[in-house]
Amino acid sequence: MKRRAFAAVVLAGALLTAGCNGGGGSGADATAPTDPANLTGDITVLTNRTDLVTDGSLDRYATEFRKVYPKVNVKFQGITDYEGEVKIRMNSDEYGDVLLIPQVVAKADYPKFFAPLGEQAELSKTYSFTDYGSVSGKVYGIASFGAANGFVYNKDVWKQAGVTTWPTTPEQFLDSLRKIKAAGVTPYYTNYKDGWPLSSWSNVVGSVGCDARANDKLATTEPWAAGTDLTVGDSLLYNIVKEKLAEADPTTTNWEDSKGQIATGKIGTMWLGSWAVSQMQDAAKKAGKDPSVIGYMPFPAQSGGKYCSVVSPDKLYGINIHSKNKPAARAWLDWVLHKSGYAETAQAVSTIKGAPAPAALSGYTEAGVTYIELSQADAVKVTAIDNASEIGLTKADYRQKLIDIARGAAKGDLPGYLTDLNKKWTAAAKTVG
């Protein structure tokens, strides 16, 4: 089961059932319904959280939703390969009523596939991260929730290794992992085999230098030049593996198993979004451990004596531009964000502005960690360069190769690899213009 918690809830394309009174066909705005009692329709919800389907959690959400919209029926189907399957479905008009926008869809193409949800100037008063889902002043996707970024860690493991304060530099962090290894515990876990957790390392952009414009600067700079956020982050990952401070065989990692391993002290640390804290704490409960053993620490770098953490959105909810069920779809989207309570349950950062910070980030609050929301002014260009370079900043491949080089399973070294990445990026930037 992958990480995306309730953020992975999307409505099925192949299983759509038409008939939402007051509907709204292809091309109409997906405005919020005003008469819940008269809104009707059947919607099928797809999710990669198959565990939430099988344990009845999603049905309980649907039951609560029907108390507000009694004539709207919600059904669920679990999908394992969400990105792959939805990408295929989007070759037709039937890719759901509401869906989490796949990463493969370029932001500039959102108006081709998704109904506008409102003007950014207005929706940004209520929601964070509207830059991520907006094109030409209109919002086509609203963040399901947000997450801070950092290292999930087992407090007991770190304490027993003699480390009681958060490292402030990459070298201090490595030294901490060395002490954990000496204590007989696997210091770090890459989740190499599942791949997708490695994409979280891109969230060092902004976190290292405490710069809200860090992502925009990728459009006009060499991302892996000396001292850049990506260089600092990728170098740390490389050195962790190079020094054998990670699992012995990255090709055999298992995401689900890793939860229990960190909860029971077999693993010390993993770099993941703050959404993961509640999952690791649940694993601790199941293992008979105190869930408070799971902690969360920022990237080991400071600006002005303060740690910084990028707060970024999970996937964005969008509504199929071809949907005949737009009012019901918008009702579900709004209810999930405002009324379901899921963000609080998952200890995620609510996309609703002004909502309190989740319990998972209490340590950040106490330490005065500065939260950074990255500007998306040049996001379209950065994505275009990334696609043209075939590097894949948010994909697993390039960091899997980084790990392969570090463990001796591929030729090369860190300086050569970073130089190669810069060459590919620079060449692609020239083609994009």
Side-chain angles (χ1 to χ4, degrees):
M1 175 49 46
K2 292 188 179 180
R3 73 195 192 286
R4 289 296 184 179
F6 198 74
V9 174
V10 294
L11 296 181
L15 301 176
L16 286 178
T17 42
C20 174
N21 290 348
S26 178
D29 285 8
T31 55
T34 57
D35 191 355
N38 291 328
L39 186 65
T40 65
D42 295 337
I43 53 178
T44 300
V45 178
L46 288 169
T47 175
N48 66 357
R49 285 300 300 268
T50 55
D51 57 333
L52 297 184
V53 175
T54 56
D55 71 9
S57 295
L58 294 183
D59 285 336
R60 288 191 287 274
Y61 282 114
T63 298
E64 292 301 311
F65 174 74
R66 280 177 58 82
K67 292 179 181 179
V68 182
Y69 297 94
K71 297 178 182 178
V72 177
N73 299 310
V74 185
K75 297 180 180 179
F76 303 94
Q77 180 187 11
I79 295 178
T80 301
D81 181 15
Y82 173 74
E83 286 281 331
E85 186 166 331
V86 174
K87 178 176 67 175
I88 293 172
R89 291 187 181 191
M90 290 182 70
N91 289 318
S92 71
D93 291 346
E94 295 188 346
Y95 47 89
D97 290 307
V98 176
L99 64 154
L100 290 170
I101 299 175
Q103 291 180 344
V104 71
V105 181
K107 184 180 178 184
D109 289 336
Y110 286 2
K112 299 177 183 177
F113 297 103
F114 307 107
L117 303 174
E119 298 292 329
Q120 183 182 9
E122 187 61 31
L123 291 181
S124 63
K125 298 175 183 177
T126 302
Y127 302 104
S128 297
F129 315 119
T130 55
D131 277 356
Y132 289 81
S134 298
V135 179
S136 300
K138 288 186 177 292
V139 176
Y140 296 87
I142 297 176
S144 47
F145 57 74
N149 292 279
F151 289 97
V152 180
Y153 71 107
N154 185 300
K155 295 179 183 177
D156 286 349
V157 167
W158 279 65
K159 184 177 180 180
Q160 289 164 10
V163 185
T164 56
T165 58
W166 290 344
T168 60
T169 67
E171 182 53 38
Q172 286 182 10
F173 186 86
L174 288 170
D175 189 56
S176 299
L177 297 191
R178 294 177 192 122
K179 293 176 180 178
I180 292 171
K181 182 178 181 179
V185 176
T186 299
Y188 187 82
Y189 198 77
T190 65
N191 273 302
Y192 173 105
K193 187 175 184 295
D194 284 89
W196 59 263
L198 290 172
S199 66
S200 295
W201 278 90
S202 290
N203 292 320
V204 300
V205 176
S207 296
V208 176
C210 205
D211 184 1
R213 292 275 301 168
N215 190 70
D216 290 339
K217 291 177 180 178
L218 298 178
T220 56
T221 62
E222 290 187 337
W224 292 273
T228 65
D229 289 7
L230 280 172
T231 294
V232 172
D234 287 344
S235 296
L236 178 57
L237 177 59
Y238 179 92
N239 288 324
I240 288 171
V241 177
K242 181 72 172 178
E243 292 194 30
K244 302 186 186 304
L245 300 173
E247 69 283 342
D249 185 0
T251 65
T252 62
T253 62
N254 182 287
W255 164 247
E256 290 297 333
D257 288 349
S258 74
K259 299 177 187 179
Q261 291 183 62
I262 195 169
T264 56
K266 296 177 181 177
I267 295 170
T269 324
M270 292 188 280
W271 172 264
L272 294 164
S274 60
W275 51 264
V277 174
S278 63
Q279 294 191 33
M280 306 309 176
Q281 290 178 337
D282 286 343
K285 291 179 184 177
K286 292 176 182 177
K289 304 293 183 179
D290 186 342
S292 67
V293 74
I294 301 298
Y296 200 62
M297 73 174 76
F299 190 89
Q302 291 190 333
S303 177
K306 294 286 187 179
Y307 293 101
C308 295
S309 177
V310 164
V311 180
S312 55
D314 205 88
K315 288 191 175 181
L316 310 180
Y317 287 120
I319 293 179
N320 185 349
I321 196 170
H322 305 290
S323 173
K324 296 180 176 63
N325 302 314
K326 288 190 179 71
R330 182 60 184 269
W332 173 256
L333 188 158
D334 287 352
W335 183 86
V336 167
L337 293 174
H338 290 268
K339 302 295 184 180
S340 70
Y342 181 77
E344 294 87 345
T345 300
Q347 296 190 47
V349 176
S350 175
T351 193
I352 309 301
K353 288 187 172 180
L361 294 177
S362 59
Y364 275 30
T365 301
E366 294 169 5
V369 174
T370 299
Y371 294 110
I372 302 295
E373 185 175 338
L374 292 179
S375 165
Q376 297 298 299
D378 291 325
V380 171
K381 185 174 182 179
V382 171
T383 300
I385 296 172
D386 188 35
N387 290 339
S389 71
E390 299 183 344
I391 291 174
L393 287 176
T394 60
K395 298 177 183 177
D397 301 50
Y398 103 75
R399 286 195 177 89
Q400 285 177 329
K401 184 175 179 180
L402 179 77
I403 290 172
D404 286 343
I405 294 171
R407 66 191 182 96
K411 294 180 180 180
D413 56 23
L414 180 62
Y417 187 51
L418 298 185
T419 297
D420 184 55
L421 291 172
N422 270 331
K423 288 180 179 178
K424 290 181 178 179
W425 189 271
T426 301
K430 292 178 181 177
T431 65
V432 171

Coordinates of all heavy atoms in Angstrom, one line a residue, residues 42-93:
D42 N -24.8 9.1 -8.6 CA -24.0 8.0 -8.1 C -22.6 8.3 -8.6 O -22.3 8.5 -9.8 CB -24.5 6.7 -8.7 CG -25.9 6.3 -8.1 OD1 -26.3 6.8 -7.1 OD2 -26.5 5.5 -8.8
I43 N -21.6 8.2 -7.6 CA -20.2 8.4 -8.0 C -19.4 7.2 -7.5 O -19.7 6.8 -6.3 CB -19.7 9.8 -7.5 CG1 -19.9 9.9 -6.0 CG2 -20.3 10.9 -8.3 CD1 -19.4 11.2 -5.4
T44 N -18.5 6.8 -8.3 CA -17.6 5.7 -7.8 C -16.2 6.2 -7.6 O -15.7 7.0 -8.4 CB -17.5 4.6 -8.9 OG1 -18.9 4.1 -9.1 CG2 -16.6 3.5 -8.5
V45 N -15.7 5.9 -6.4 CA -14.4 6.5 -6.0 C -13.3 5.5 -6.1 O -13.5 4.4 -5.5 CB -14.6 7.0 -4.5 CG1 -13.2 7.5 -4.0 CG2 -15.6 8.0 -4.4
L46 N -12.3 5.8 -6.8 CA -11.1 5.0 -6.9 C -10.0 5.5 -5.9 O -9.8 6.7 -5.8 CB -10.5 5.0 -8.3 CG -11.3 4.2 -9.4 CD1 -10.8 4.6 -10.7 CD2 -11.3 2.7 -9.1
T47 N -9.3 4.5 -5.3 CA -8.3 4.9 -4.4 C -7.2 3.9 -4.4 O -7.4 2.7 -4.6 CB -8.8 5.0 -2.9 OG1 -7.7 5.3 -2.0 CG2 -9.5 3.8 -2.5
N48 N -5.9 4.3 -4.2 CA -4.8 3.4 -4.1 C -4.7 2.9 -2.6 O -3.8 2.1 -2.4 CB -3.5 4.0 -4.6 CG -3.0 5.1 -3.8 OD1 -3.6 5.6 -2.9 ND2 -1.8 5.7 -4.2
R49 N -5.5 3.5 -1.7 CA -5.5 3.0 -0.4 C -6.4 1.9 -0.2 O -7.5 2.0 0.3 CB -5.9 4.2 0.6 CG -4.8 5.2 0.8 CD -3.5 4.6 1.4 NE -3.7 4.0 2.7 CZ -3.6 4.6 3.9 NH1 -3.3 5.9 3.9 NH2 -3.8 3.9 5.0
T50 N -6.0 0.7 -0.8 CA -6.9 -0.4 -0.7 C -7.2 -0.9 0.7 O -8.2 -1.5 1.0 CB -6.2 -1.6 -1.5 OG1 -4.9 -1.9 -0.9 CG2 -6.1 -1.3 -2.9
D51 N -6.3 -0.5 1.7 CA -6.5 -0.9 3.1 C -7.7 -0.1 3.6 O -8.5 -0.6 4.4 CB -5.3 -0.6 3.9 CG -4.8 0.8 3.8 OD1 -5.0 1.5 2.8 OD2 -4.1 1.3 4.8
L52 N -7.9 1.1 3.2 CA -9.1 1.9 3.6 C -10.4 1.4 3.0 O -11.4 1.7 3.6 CB -8.8 3.4 3.3 CG -7.7 4.1 4.0 CD1 -7.7 5.6 3.6 CD2 -7.7 3.9 5.5
V53 N -10.3 0.7 1.9 CA -11.4 0.1 1.3 C -11.8 -1.1 2.1 O -12.9 -1.3 2.5 CB -11.2 -0.2 -0.2 CG1 -12.4 -1.0 -0.7 CG2 -11.0 1.0 -1.0
T54 N -10.8 -2.0 2.3 CA -11.1 -3.3 3.0 C -11.4 -3.2 4.4 O -12.2 -4.0 5.0 CB -9.9 -4.2 2.8 OG1 -8.7 -3.6 3.3 CG2 -9.6 -4.5 1.3
D55 N -10.9 -2.1 5.1 CA -11.2 -2.0 6.5 C -12.5 -1.2 6.8 O -12.9 -1.0 7.9 CB -10.0 -1.5 7.3 CG -9.8 0.0 7.1 OD1 -10.5 0.7 6.4 OD2 -8.7 0.5 7.6
G56 N -13.1 -0.7 5.7 CA -14.4 0.0 5.8 C -14.3 1.5 6.1 O -15.3 2.1 6.3
S57 N -13.0 2.0 6.2 CA -12.9 3.4 6.5 C -13.6 4.3 5.5 O -14.3 5.3 5.9 CB -11.4 3.8 6.6 OG -10.8 3.1 7.7
L58 N -13.4 4.0 4.2 CA -14.0 4.9 3.2 C -15.5 4.8 3.2 O -16.2 5.8 3.0 CB -13.4 4.5 1.8 CG -11.9 4.8 1.6 CD1 -11.5 4.5 0.2 CD2 -11.6 6.3 2.0
D59 N -16.0 3.6 3.5 CA -17.5 3.5 3.6 C -18.0 4.4 4.7 O -19.1 5.0 4.7 CB -17.9 2.1 3.8 CG -17.8 1.2 2.5 OD1 -17.9 1.8 1.4 OD2 -17.7 0.0 2.6
R60 N -17.3 4.5 5.8 CA -17.7 5.3 6.9 C -17.7 6.8 6.5 O -18.6 7.6 6.9 CB -16.8 5.1 8.1 CG -17.0 3.7 8.8 CD -16.3 3.6 10.1 NE -14.9 3.4 10.0 CZ -14.3 2.3 9.8 NH1 -15.0 1.1 9.7 NH2 -13.0 2.2 9.7
Y61 N -16.7 7.2 5.7 CA -16.7 8.6 5.2 C -17.9 8.8 4.3 O -18.6 9.9 4.4 CB -15.4 8.8 4.4 CG -14.2 9.1 5.2 CD1 -13.1 8.3 5.2 CD2 -14.1 10.3 6.0 CE1 -12.0 8.5 6.0 CE2 -13.0 10.5 6.8 CZ -11.9 9.6 6.7 OH -10.8 9.9 7.5
A62 N -18.3 7.8 3.5 CA -19.4 8.0 2.6 C -20.7 8.1 3.4 O -21.6 8.9 3.0 CB -19.5 6.8 1.6
T63 N -20.8 7.4 4.5 CA -22.0 7.4 5.3 C -22.1 8.8 5.9 O -23.3 9.4 6.0 CB -21.9 6.4 6.5 OG1 -21.8 5.1 5.9 CG2 -23.1 6.5 7.4
E64 N -21.0 9.4 6.4 CA -21.1 10.8 6.9 C -21.4 11.8 5.8 O -22.2 12.7 6.1 CB -19.8 11.1 7.6 CG -19.5 10.3 8.8 CD -20.5 10.5 9.9 OE1 -20.9 11.7 10.2 OE2 -21.0 9.5 10.4
F65 N -20.9 11.6 4.6 CA -21.2 12.5 3.5 C -22.7 12.4 3.2 O -23.3 13.5 2.9 CB -20.4 12.0 2.3 CG -20.7 12.7 1.0 CD1 -20.2 14.0 0.8 CD2 -21.4 12.1 0.0 CE1 -20.5 14.7 -0.4 CE2 -21.6 12.8 -1.2 CZ -21.2 14.1 -1.4
R66 N -23.3 11.3 3.2 CA -24.7 11.1 2.9 C -25.6 11.8 3.9 O -26.8 12.1 3.6 CB -25.1 9.7 2.7 CG -24.7 9.1 1.4 CD -25.0 7.6 1.3 NE -26.4 7.4 1.5 CZ -27.4 7.5 0.5 NH1 -27.0 7.9 -0.7 NH2 -28.6 7.2 0.8
K67 N -25.1 12.1 5.1 CA -25.9 12.9 6.0 C -26.2 14.3 5.6 O -27.1 14.9 6.0 CB -25.2 12.9 7.4 CG -25.2 11.5 8.1 CD -24.5 11.5 9.4 CE -24.4 10.2 10.1 NZ -23.7 10.2 11.4
V68 N -25.2 14.8 4.7 CA -25.4 16.1 4.2 C -26.0 16.1 2.8 O -26.8 16.9 2.4 CB -24.0 16.8 4.1 CG1 -24.1 18.2 3.6 CG2 -23.3 16.8 5.5
Y69 N -25.6 15.0 2.0 CA -26.1 14.9 0.6 C -26.8 13.5 0.5 O -26.2 12.5 0.0 CB -24.9 15.0 -0.4 CG -24.3 16.3 -0.4 CD1 -23.1 16.5 0.4 CD2 -24.8 17.4 -1.2 CE1 -22.5 17.8 0.4 CE2 -24.2 18.6 -1.1 CZ -23.0 18.8 -0.4 OH -22.5 20.1 -0.4
P70 N -28.0 13.4 1.1 CA -28.6 12.1 1.2 C -29.0 11.4 -0.1 O -29.2 10.2 -0.1 CB -29.9 12.4 1.9 CG -30.2 13.9 1.7 CD -28.8 14.5 1.6
K71 N -29.0 12.1 -1.2 CA -29.3 11.5 -2.5 C -28.1 11.3 -3.4 O -28.3 10.9 -4.6 CB -30.3 12.4 -3.2 CG -31.7 12.5 -2.5 CD -32.6 13.5 -3.3 CE -33.9 13.7 -2.5 NZ -34.8 14.6 -3.2
V72 N -26.9 11.4 -2.9 CA -25.7 11.2 -3.6 C -25.1 9.9 -3.1 O -24.8 9.8 -1.9 CB -24.7 12.3 -3.5 CG1 -23.4 11.9 -4.2 CG2 -25.3 13.6 -4.1
N73 N -24.9 8.9 -3.9 CA -24.3 7.6 -3.5 C -22.8 7.5 -3.9 O -22.5 7.9 -5.1 CB -25.1 6.5 -4.2 CG -26.5 6.4 -3.8 OD1 -26.8 6.5 -2.6 ND2 -27.4 6.4 -4.8
V74 N -22.0 7.1 -3.0 CA -20.6 7.0 -3.2 C -20.1 5.6 -3.1 O -20.4 5.0 -2.1 CB -19.8 7.9 -2.2 CG1 -18.3 7.9 -2.6 CG2 -20.3 9.3 -2.2
K75 N -19.4 5.1 -4.1 CA -18.9 3.7 -4.0 C -17.4 3.8 -4.2 O -16.9 4.8 -4.8 CB -19.5 2.8 -5.1 CG -21.0 2.6 -4.9 CD -21.6 1.8 -6.1 CE -23.1 1.6 -5.9 NZ -23.6 0.7 -7.0
F76 N -16.7 2.8 -3.8 CA -15.2 2.8 -3.8 C -14.6 1.6 -4.5 O -15.2 0.5 -4.3 CB -14.6 2.9 -2.4 CG -15.1 4.1 -1.6 CD1 -16.2 4.0 -0.8 CD2 -14.5 5.4 -1.7 CE1 -16.7 5.1 -0.1 CE2 -15.0 6.5 -1.1 CZ -16.1 6.3 -0.2
Q77 N -13.5 1.8 -5.1 CA -12.8 0.7 -5.7 C -11.3 1.0 -5.5 O -10.8 2.0 -5.8 CB -13.0 0.5 -7.2 CG -12.3 -0.6 -7.8 CD -12.4 -0.7 -9.3 OE1 -12.9 0.3 -9.9 NE2 -12.0 -1.8 -9.9
G78 N -10.6 0.0 -4.9 CA -9.1 0.2 -4.7 C -8.3 -0.1 -5.9 O -8.6 -1.1 -6.6
I79 N -7.3 0.7 -6.2 CA -6.4 0.5 -7.4 C -5.0 0.6 -6.8 O -4.6 1.5 -6.1 CB -6.6 1.6 -8.4 CG1 -8.0 1.5 -9.0 CG2 -5.5 1.5 -9.5 CD1 -8.3 2.6 -10.1
T80 N -4.2 -0.4 -7.2 CA -2.8 -0.4 -6.8 C -1.9 0.6 -7.6 O -1.2 1.4 -7.1 CB -2.2 -1.8 -6.8 OG1 -3.0 -2.7 -6.0 CG2 -0.8 -1.8 -6.4
D81 N -2.0 0.4 -8.9 CA -1.1 1.2 -9.8 C -2.0 2.5 -10.2 O -2.4 2.5 -11.4 CB -0.7 0.4 -11.0 CG 0.2 1.3 -11.9 OD1 0.7 2.3 -11.5 OD2 0.4 0.8 -13.1
Y82 N -2.1 3.4 -9.3 CA -3.0 4.6 -9.6 C -2.5 5.4 -10.8 O -3.2 5.6 -11.8 CB -3.1 5.5 -8.4 CG -3.9 6.7 -8.7 CD1 -5.2 6.7 -8.9 CD2 -3.2 7.9 -8.9 CE1 -5.9 7.9 -9.3 CE2 -3.8 9.1 -9.2 CZ -5.2 9.1 -9.4 OH -5.9 10.2 -9.7
E83 N -1.2 5.8 -10.7 CA -0.7 6.6 -11.8 C -0.8 6.0 -13.1 O -1.2 6.6 -14.1 CB 0.8 7.0 -11.5 CG 1.0 8.0 -10.3 CD 0.8 9.4 -10.8 OE1 1.0 9.7 -12.0 OE2 0.3 10.2 -10.0
G84 N -0.4 4.7 -13.2 CA -0.4 4.0 -14.5 C -1.7 3.8 -15.1 O -2.0 4.0 -16.3
E85 N -2.7 3.4 -14.2 CA -4.0 3.1 -14.7 C -4.8 4.4 -15.1 O -5.4 4.4 -16.1 CB -4.8 2.3 -13.7 CG -6.2 1.9 -14.2 CD -6.8 0.8 -13.3 OE1 -6.1 0.1 -12.6 OE2 -8.1 0.8 -13.3
V86 N -4.7 5.4 -14.3 CA -5.4 6.7 -14.6 C -4.8 7.3 -15.9 O -5.6 7.9 -16.7 CB -5.4 7.6 -13.4 CG1 -6.0 9.0 -13.8 CG2 -6.1 7.0 -12.2
K87 N -3.5 7.2 -16.0 CA -2.9 7.8 -17.2 C -3.5 7.1 -18.5 O -3.8 7.8 -19.5 CB -1.4 7.5 -17.2 CG -0.7 8.0 -18.5 CD 0.8 7.8 -18.3 CE 1.2 6.4 -18.3 NZ 2.7 6.2 -18.3
I88 N -3.7 5.8 -18.4 CA -4.3 5.1 -19.6 C -5.8 5.6 -19.8 O -6.2 5.8 -20.9 CB -4.3 3.6 -19.4 CG1 -2.8 3.1 -19.4 CG2 -5.1 2.9 -20.4 CD1 -2.6 1.7 -19.0
R89 N -6.5 5.7 -18.7 CA -7.9 6.1 -18.8 C -8.1 7.5 -19.4 O -9.1 7.8 -20.0 CB -8.6 6.0 -17.4 CG -8.7 4.6 -16.8 CD -9.5 4.6 -15.5 NE -9.6 3.2 -15.0 CZ -10.4 2.9 -14.0 NH1 -11.1 3.8 -13.4 NH2 -10.4 1.6 -13.6
M90 N -7.1 8.3 -19.1 CA -7.2 9.7 -19.6 C -7.1 9.8 -21.2 O -7.2 10.9 -21.7 CB -6.2 10.6 -18.9 CG -6.6 10.8 -17.5 SD -5.4 11.9 -16.6 CE -5.9 13.5 -17.3
N91 N -6.8 8.7 -21.8 CA -6.9 8.6 -23.3 C -8.3 8.7 -23.8 O -8.6 8.9 -25.0 CB -6.2 7.4 -23.8 CG -4.7 7.5 -23.6 OD1 -4.1 8.5 -23.8 ND2 -4.1 6.4 -23.2
S92 N -9.3 8.5 -22.9 CA -10.7 8.6 -23.2 C -11.3 9.7 -22.4 O -10.6 10.4 -21.7 CB -11.4 7.3 -22.9 OG -11.5 7.1 -21.5
D93 N -12.6 9.9 -22.6 CA -13.3 10.9 -21.8 C -13.6 10.4 -20.4 O -14.0 11.2 -19.5 CB -14.6 11.4 -22.5 CG -14.3 12.2 -23.7 OD1 -13.2 12.6 -23.9 OD2 -15.3 12.4 -24.5

